[in-house]
Amino acid sequence: MTRFASAFSKGPALVTFITAGDGDTLANLDALVAGGADVIELGMPFTDPMADGPAIQAANLRALGKGTTTADIFAIAAAFRARHPQVPLVLMGYANPMTIRGPEWFAAECAKAGVDGVICVDIPSEEDAELGPALRAAGVAPIRLATPTTDAARLPDVLDGAGGFLYYVSVAGITGLQQAAQASIEDAVARLKAATDLPVAVGFGVRTPEQAAQIAKVADGVVVGSALVEIIAAHGDAAAPHVEAFARTLADAIHGAKENAA
């Protein structure tokens, strides 16, 4: 059983995002696991992040301002894997850092560091050849994004070659600023789950345990990023206990959602 399958088999999963190089990243990753996160997304800081709202844009600039490199990110990933052998780790970012040395190099480094999956925001399924074959050959899952504008005609292309889980971007916009209505999320998740056996995780705009619990009643996972990144912005290198405490409130809400609905 893969780490992804194990993480999602226990019920709704808490998927958390932070930016590599922002604050004490390893301490914050440990705090997320201690707080109950089931899957970790580690953002690769990038100068022109098209999908990210102000909080994650600022985190990218803080990380890049400290000189964070791709090598640093893989070192963080390897250290995380040594400390948390069973927790799935996903790198999330943009094509340039992932392909500048060639997709085979990037995929090999992911495998060596123990990375389970990659979300590349700006390589759509139509351009899978740019990175997907190299990832799959290295045993790393290309995790795809579906959105409110992914129609029935395009969805099979999005799912073709995908792995790990399907990330449903619940708003047609950037991270952190708005949340979709619960009814639209429920309709979208039902449509996606009818088309794939992959777990479906919902993100963008999820900021509170209450929101997360509602989504967890219908989805296989709930993604929270900007709210955690804002905690790191507020507390800097001392953020870890605050990250753990907030993650625990999210995990309790998500993990209890199905039981409360029963």
Side-chain angles (χ1 to χ4, degrees), residues 229-248:
V229 169
E230 288 170 359
I231 291 171
I232 296 168
H235 297 281
D237 288 344
H242 305 280
V243 167
E244 180 177 347
F246 183 58
R248 174 56 60 196

Side-chain angles (χ1 to χ4, degrees), residues 16-37 40-42 62 66 76 80 83-84 228-245 247:
T16 56
F17 171 97
I18 62 172
T19 300
D22 183 28
D24 186 340
T25 305
L26 271 174
N28 293 333
L29 290 171
D30 289 344
L32 290 171
V33 175
I40 304 290
E41 292 178 7
L42 185 61
R62 290 193 298 269
K66 289 165 55 178
I76 291 168
F80 175 87
R83 288 146 83 141
H84 305 288
L228 288 160
V229 169
E230 288 170 359
I231 291 171
I232 296 168
H235 297 281
D237 288 344
H242 305 280
V243 167
E244 180 177 347

